[in-house]
Amino acid sequence: MSRKNRSALFVPIKLLLFAGMFALFACSPPERHINHGMYYWKSADFEYSYRIDSTLNHLKVSKVFVKLFEVEMDSVLGPVPASVSEVGLWRLRSDEDVKKNIPARQVIPVVFIRNEVLKYKKLDVALLADQIVKFAYGKASTYWNRDVKFDELQIDCDWTESTAQRYHELIAAIKQKYQGKVSITLRLYPYKFPDKMGVPPADRAVLLCYNLLLPSQSGTKNSILDIDVLHDYLDGTDAYPLPLDVALPIYQMSYLFRNNAFEQTVDWHPKTSEIRYDSLGNGVFRIRE
């Protein structure tokens, strides 16, 4: 994977931290119960398997957050819910679960909204909120072939300071039309600077503590979770106005560098690689020519 007179480096980023969801408290209570949850972001079809079921049971996962669809810009129609994800929400209980008295897991649908949607000058916030809620109910019902009503709908959006007001209005409109709780994902920047970004009128937020550095700027650092960078965001901040959960990463990535310049993200790991390489230490590998 390297050309003549060029060197290729793989920097595998591997984290085995469980994506736990737990409440943050301004003070330390004597006891704190942690409810584990898991995000599933892939767009490919998901087939339920007992191996996955066993893993979720072992990690005591009680909630599963699944991306239901995305809202993107159409050149003709403008902002529209797009069914880019064909992930079948897995069965809440298998026959073996029933026999073993394993409780059903709570599935929470997640809708991803691209920030460019909020920049659309002709955006009808009330109409988009209505479309999102109806599409969420319809898509979920299709998965189970019956009417489904979720206790919670989560909105995921990398909103910015320039789109903050519209995003807040959209969350408020969704809350008016949705029959359950509306939660949001929260990046570290709006968490640290609520005075600039405002606080969306949601019922709850999940602080996403991953993807802290750009791969092109990370070098040999772990761009998924760098503790020093995380501390910079968390230290000295006041308690966030919304009830807050935390999401930690459990996935891995490898970065390909040529001539010390970042080229791309690749699906590679030294333990499963058929390519010859030399370990340079600190998670860096040089691919042999």
Side-chain angles (χ1 to χ4, degrees):
M1 300 187 70
S2 61
R3 299 176 183 176
K4 191 175 181 179
N5 299 326
R6 292 188 178 183
S7 61
L9 296 181
F10 276 123
V11 183
I13 305 299
K14 183 177 182 180
L15 289 171
L16 297 179
L17 299 177
F18 174 61
M21 312 299 299
F22 52 91
L24 290 181
F25 295 88
C27 57
S28 298
E31 290 187 14
R32 181 171 58 188
H33 178 68
I34 298 176
N35 295 318
H36 290 157
M38 189 77 74
Y39 276 97
Y40 187 78
W41 290 123
K42 293 185 177 181
S43 296
D45 189 24
F46 183 94
E47 293 183 1
Y48 184 93
S49 71
Y50 286 109
R51 180 182 64 81
I52 294 174
D53 181 62
S54 177
T55 300
L56 296 178
N57 288 337
H58 176 71
L59 296 176
K60 298 180 180 180
V61 174
S62 60
K63 293 183 179 181
V64 183
F65 295 76
V66 181
K67 185 175 71 172
L68 200 59
F69 60 88
E70 298 184 2
V71 179
E72 59 185 26
M73 286 295 298
D74 182 90
S75 59
V76 177
L77 301 177
V80 292
S83 184
V84 297
S85 175
E86 293 301 330
V87 178
L89 301 183
W90 53 83
R91 291 176 290 164
L92 295 182
R93 305 183 76 183
S94 66
D95 294 338
E96 290 298 318
D97 290 337
V98 176
K99 292 178 182 179
K100 297 177 182 178
N101 294 319
I102 296 176
R105 295 185 187 90
Q106 182 182 3
V107 175
I108 298 174
V110 183
V111 177
F112 177 71
I113 302 176
R114 297 187 181 277
N115 191 47
E116 62 183 13
V117 169
L118 302 174
K119 297 179 180 179
Y120 184 56
K121 294 182 178 180
K122 298 181 180 180
L123 178 64
D124 187 329
V125 172
L127 176 60
L128 180 59
D130 186 63
Q131 291 176 332
I132 289 174
V133 172
K134 288 182 178 179
F135 200 63
Y137 279 130
K139 194 168 181 62
S141 298
T142 299
Y143 282 146
W144 272 295
N145 295 317
R146 59 182 174 85
D147 290 336
V148 176
K149 292 184 178 180
F150 293 100
D151 295 330
E152 180 180 342
L153 176 67
Q154 187 168 104
I155 305 299
D156 178 34
C157 180
D158 191 6
W159 45 287
T160 60
E161 188 173 353
S162 64
T163 59
Q165 182 176 349
R166 273 193 167 178
Y167 182 61
H168 297 173
E169 292 173 355
L170 179 60
I171 296 300
I174 292 175
K175 281 193 64 176
Q176 289 182 349
K177 297 180 180 297
Y178 192 68
Q179 298 177 8
K181 295 181 179 180
V182 175
S183 62
I184 60 168
T185 58
L186 185 67
R187 271 65 174 177
L188 286 164
Y189 187 84
Y191 167 80
K192 187 175 180 65
F193 301 104
D195 53 332
K196 295 181 180 179
M197 304 292 285
V199 179
D203 296 303
R204 197 173 190 87
V206 179
L207 184 62
L208 305 182
C209 296
Y210 56 86
N211 287 349
L212 304 185
L213 296 170
L214 293 175
S216 59
Q217 301 174 349
S218 62
T220 59
K221 285 187 176 181
N222 191 323
S223 68
I224 298 177
L225 181 60
D226 185 278
I227 299 301
D228 291 335
V229 175
L230 184 60
H231 280 168
D232 290 340
Y233 280 105
L234 299 182
D235 289 350
T237 57
D238 296 327
Y240 198 73
L242 294 177
L244 199 64
D245 298 316
V246 172
L248 298 172
I250 195 175
Y251 61 92
Q252 66 182 36
M253 293 189 298
S254 294
Y255 303 143
L256 175 62
F257 290 80
R258 293 187 190 274
N259 295 335
N260 295 321
F262 172 76
E263 186 167 294
Q264 64 181 4
T265 301
V266 293
D267 184 13
W268 184 86
H269 195 277
K271 290 185 178 180
T272 57
S273 175
E274 297 181 355
I275 302 173
R276 295 187 302 167
Y277 62 86
D278 296 312
S279 176
L280 304 182
N282 197 31
V284 181
F285 302 84
R286 186 187 303 277
I287 303 304
R288 299 178 185 177
E289 297 187 11

